[in-house]
Amino acid sequence: MIYINGELSRHTSPAWSSLIAHFVGIFGSWFLWKYLSKSKTYFPYTPDAPKWSYFAGVIGALIVVIANITVNSSIGLVGSLSLMILGQTLFAILFDFGGWLGMAKRKIHLRDILQVILILAGSLLIVFY
Amino acid sequence: MIPAYMLVLAFFNGLLIVTTRIINAKLGLHVSGVGSAVWNHFIGFLFLALLMPFHAIGAPLDIGGVPLYLFLGGFIGAGYVALNSWVMPKIGATTATVLLIAGQIILGTIIDAVNGKISNLYTTTIGIALLVSGIWIGGHKKAPASAVQT
């Protein structure tokens, strides 16, 4: 996905590529949803879900804009990728640990820490060299 | 000289990535994982479309000569969000996040290898070995050693 969207943005621009990917994604996910859930309605809406949870896509769009800015700055693709990976991992641990945003509170096991370290080290090694 | 605020901005983007995934997963509990992917792409498209006028002046769209398959990334994106919303409540944000990163890096390395773009075979091999061992130890959650808590 990153590769295809990256190639597309090389041909157009990162913002256009994201806009196109989102547009195609609407149809892709809608067909999947309609087919998998065999729903009678035309949109996956239910009043029991918190209203704000429908708007994750706004942040998703902002992520593209910010990534666009940092990748084109002096820290480049490698710097951006490493910091984004680091940020994601650290904040995921915090969200799990604190049980924020309605996540189930989880105890952090030694094994989890070991897994995070191994995967983080492997990822950064490949990204950097 | 690397501007410090760029480093902070990229790091902060990591927070945004986790936040959207968790919110998507939360919605997914009500409307199914695939349902949350529909909303993610629909709202994301609308919001980006609102921002586009600021961008389009400097970079008008020219899709002549773009290979057709490059337009299909959105389908994979749909599957990606759906899958994430489905697994995240089951295994937690941390495990889901590191496994997603591992999968991306491994597939990225395979694509690079196919295109002959591996710059350092030595570090790439060690990196993959670390990733695979990281994924592997996660698959043994029921072992007694996992009772160690911190």
Side-chain angles (χ1 to χ4, degrees):
Chain A
M1 174 182 75
I2 306 271
Y3 172 72
I4 292 181
N5 288 338
E7 284 290 297
L8 182 60
S9 72
R10 216 163 49 77
H11 282 275
T12 57
S13 81
W16 278 117
S17 138
S18 176
L19 189 76
I20 295 168
H22 274 84
F23 187 68
V24 175
I26 296 173
F27 296 99
S29 52
W30 188 81
F31 277 109
L32 262 179
W33 170 77
K34 193 76 184 154
Y35 174 76
L36 283 177
S37 66
K38 298 178 184 71
S39 178
K40 296 270 192 297
T41 56
Y42 287 96
F43 230 64
Y45 177 78
T46 157
D48 353 317
K51 292 277 172 293
W52 51 268
S53 68
Y54 288 98
F55 292 92
V58 172
I59 308 178
L62 275 180
I63 291 167
V64 180
V65 176
I66 295 178
N68 194 355
I69 295 170
T70 61
V71 166
N72 289 309
S73 80
S74 55
I75 65 173
L77 180 66
V78 173
S80 303
L81 266 181
S82 337
L83 283 164
M84 276 156 64
I85 289 175
L86 200 66
Q88 278 182 69
T89 315
L90 291 179
F91 285 112
I93 293 172
L94 276 178
F95 276 112
D96 266 345
F97 192 66
W100 298 336
L101 283 178
M103 286 298 288
K105 244 187 179 161
R106 271 164 217 275
K107 290 195 181 87
I108 299 174
H109 301 286
L110 189 62
R111 197 177 283 270
D112 298 326
I113 297 173
L114 199 62
Q115 184 183 38
V116 169
I117 292 172
L118 281 172
I119 293 183
L120 216 54
S123 304
L124 296 181
L125 197 65
I126 294 175
V127 170
F128 262 108
Y129 292 97
Chain B
M1 180 66 190
I2 292 172
Y5 65 91
M6 278 299 168
L7 302 177
V8 175
L9 203 58
F11 182 70
F12 171 74
N13 218 6
L15 166 65
L16 291 185
I17 294 171
V18 182
T19 311
T20 29
R21 293 224 195 93
I22 293 178
I23 298 176
N24 273 323
K26 175 127 189 108
L27 179 63
L29 293 175
H30 296 275
V31 299
S32 83
V34 203
S36 78
V38 176
W39 281 101
N40 180 71
H41 287 85
F42 181 61
I43 298 291
F45 173 77
L46 288 184
F47 190 66
L48 271 173
L50 275 175
L51 296 176
M52 276 327 265
F54 299 100
H55 174 77
I57 305 158
L61 180 63
D62 173 24
I63 52 169
V66 180
L68 193 64
Y69 78 96
L70 292 184
F71 289 100
L72 302 180
F75 281 110
I76 308 177
Y80 169 89
V81 176
L83 210 59
N84 178 76
S85 295
W86 184 57
V87 299
M88 200 173 246
K90 297 190 203 313
I91 61 174
T94 310
T95 314
T97 300
V98 288
L99 287 180
L100 275 166
I101 292 171
Q104 286 173 42
I105 300 271
I106 290 174
L107 186 63
T109 310
I110 293 173
I111 293 176
D112 274 354
V114 170
N115 291 336
K117 285 202 282 197
I118 299 284
S119 50
N120 190 332
L121 192 64
Y122 189 61
T123 51
T124 303
T125 313
I126 299 175
I128 293 284
L130 287 170
L131 284 176
V132 171
S133 45
I135 296 167
W136 184 74
I137 63 160
H140 297 262
K141 280 273 154 67
K142 294 219 167 63
S146 67
V148 181
Q149 283 165 18
T150 48

